Amino acid sequence: MSTQGAAAAAAFQEHRPRMFAIAYRMLGSAVEAEDVVQDAYLRWSSADRSDVAHPGAWLAKTVTRLCLNHLASARVRREDYAGPWLPEPVLTATGALGPLESAEQREGVSMALLVLLERLTPAERAVYVLREAFAYAHREIAQLLDLTEPHCRQLYHRAAGRLAEASPAPRPAPDPERWQGLVDTFLTAARDGDLARLEELLTADVRYVADGGGVVGAARRPIVGRDKVARFVLGALRKYVAGVPVTVAEVNGAPALLFGEVAVLLVAFRNGRVSDMSTVVNPEKPAYLRRQLSHSRTLSGPG
């Protein structure tokens, strides 16, 4: 590789984490985000870089525009998706999606917000992600999207308004130890088949959403209500993950349960009871997460 080529590759690698973080938030898919970043690399490698004063801005613009093009076809696929669609889960404790040091940053990669972002137009989504997650100024966003600054402001306010209307009131997450204790109690009741105890641990309006993508058996619609959710959870645990080891990991900025590499379950609590459950059981969805786990095991070596 020439000196110039090596410098170009080094510049790309420097900005790769941010490009992936932008693409994932735009697309809700880690695998597709990787594809977009790879496409950006090919364009960067073949571009005339003599006039590129700021590689980071050039790459951010390229990735964002690739995502906008991708979202047009992705929207059609989502409309034909079998059952509820959830984003691909990503392990975030090691910084895969950038720093998540505040509640706002964690919320920015949450399953709930990424699902809501699907309601926005591609342009609204791009402006909102660049502004909220990466603190780009409206002037910078306008340059990235080839829009006017007033138009970007309008898109941002429209997106923020639509999300505020659809978003539930934010609830503080329990501390990790309390979360772990609540989850252990929940799992014990579920594994023991203790329906009465399990119902006691659920809010009256508890909501369960499963993404099976039509590949595996999963509820095609959200299940709502204490009795229905309790019975469904008992059946699902018995049928699909009986005997599967369970570990806790940070997924999309929140604690989650990993049932081997079979399912990812995020559990939210309100006043000490389970209020929301989201589970990804489509075997195609955790491909990126499985690679993260494999990489982590490789780094840690034999135990």
Side-chain angles (χ1 to χ4, degrees):
M1 182 181 292
S2 66
T3 302
Q4 188 178 24
F12 183 87
Q13 290 301 325
E14 177 187 350
H15 297 287
R16 178 187 282 274
R18 171 168 285 225
M19 286 187 289
F20 177 78
I22 290 173
Y24 176 76
R25 287 168 172 82
M26 287 281 292
L27 303 176
S29 166
V31 171
E32 291 173 0
E34 286 185 308
D35 290 343
V36 164
V37 172
Q38 180 61 26
D39 196 350
Y41 176 73
L42 296 176
R43 294 175 184 237
W44 173 248
S45 298
S46 60
D48 179 2
R49 298 181 297 276
S50 59
D51 293 331
V52 178
H54 303 287
W58 191 98
L59 291 167
K61 180 173 184 174
T62 300
V63 164
T64 302
R65 297 195 69 81
L66 287 170
C67 287
L68 288 172
N69 294 337
H70 193 83
L71 281 172
S73 59
R75 190 173 293 270
V76 174
R77 295 199 306 275
R78 303 276 161 78
E79 290 174 355
D80 296 333
Y81 197 78
W85 175 90
L86 292 173
E88 291 180 9
V90 173
L91 298 175
T92 49
T94 57
L97 297 178
L100 303 178
E101 298 166 354
S102 67
E104 291 76 17
Q105 289 174 327
R106 290 191 294 274
E107 176 61 24
V109 295
S110 69
M111 290 275 187
L113 180 64
L114 292 173
V115 169
L116 289 178
L117 289 178
E118 292 289 303
R119 303 187 181 194
L120 305 181
T121 67
E124 289 171 346
R125 186 165 183 163
V127 171
Y128 185 85
V129 165
L130 291 170
R131 179 68 176 164
E132 285 292 312
F134 301 97
Y136 279 93
H138 286 295
R139 173 180 53 80
E140 295 172 309
I141 297 173
Q143 293 171 348
L144 292 178
L145 301 181
D146 291 331
L147 299 173
T148 65
E149 186 174 340
H151 190 191
C152 285
R153 291 182 181 275
Q154 183 182 44
L155 288 170
Y156 172 76
H157 288 300
R158 188 187 304 159
R162 293 176 66 181
L163 292 176
E165 290 177 1
S167 300
R171 297 191 294 267
D175 64 80
E177 287 188 8
R178 176 155 173 72
W179 184 91
Q180 181 70 63
L182 292 169
V183 165
D184 287 344
T185 303
F186 169 79
L187 283 177
T188 298
R191 284 171 164 168
D192 290 346
D194 190 342
L195 181 62
R197 177 59 177 146
L198 189 59
E199 289 182 352
E200 290 178 359
L201 299 171
L202 307 177
T203 63
D205 60 348
V206 62
R207 187 171 185 266
Y208 176 95
V209 177
D211 180 343
V215 181
V216 298
R220 292 296 185 94
R221 295 181 180 179
I223 301 173
V224 180
R226 179 181 290 139
D227 178 66
K228 292 180 180 178
V229 169
R231 293 180 183 279
F232 185 86
V233 167
L234 287 182
L237 285 176
R238 237 182 347 250
K239 185 174 181 180
Y240 297 111
V241 292
V244 175
V246 182
T247 57
V248 176
E250 183 184 291
V251 174
N252 288 66
L257 297 174
L258 308 183
F259 289 84
E261 296 184 353
V262 177
V264 179
L265 175 65
L266 286 92
V267 184
F269 293 90
R270 184 171 72 239
N271 299 326
R273 286 186 168 87
V274 176
S275 59
D276 294 275
M277 285 184 281
S278 300
T279 182
V280 178
V281 291
N282 180 345
E284 299 172 0
K285 284 288 183 80
Y288 182 81
L289 183 144
R290 283 194 290 268
R291 289 205 301 275
Q292 288 181 294
L293 290 172
S294 177
H295 181 66
S296 175
R297 287 192 289 265
T298 299
L299 290 178
S300 62

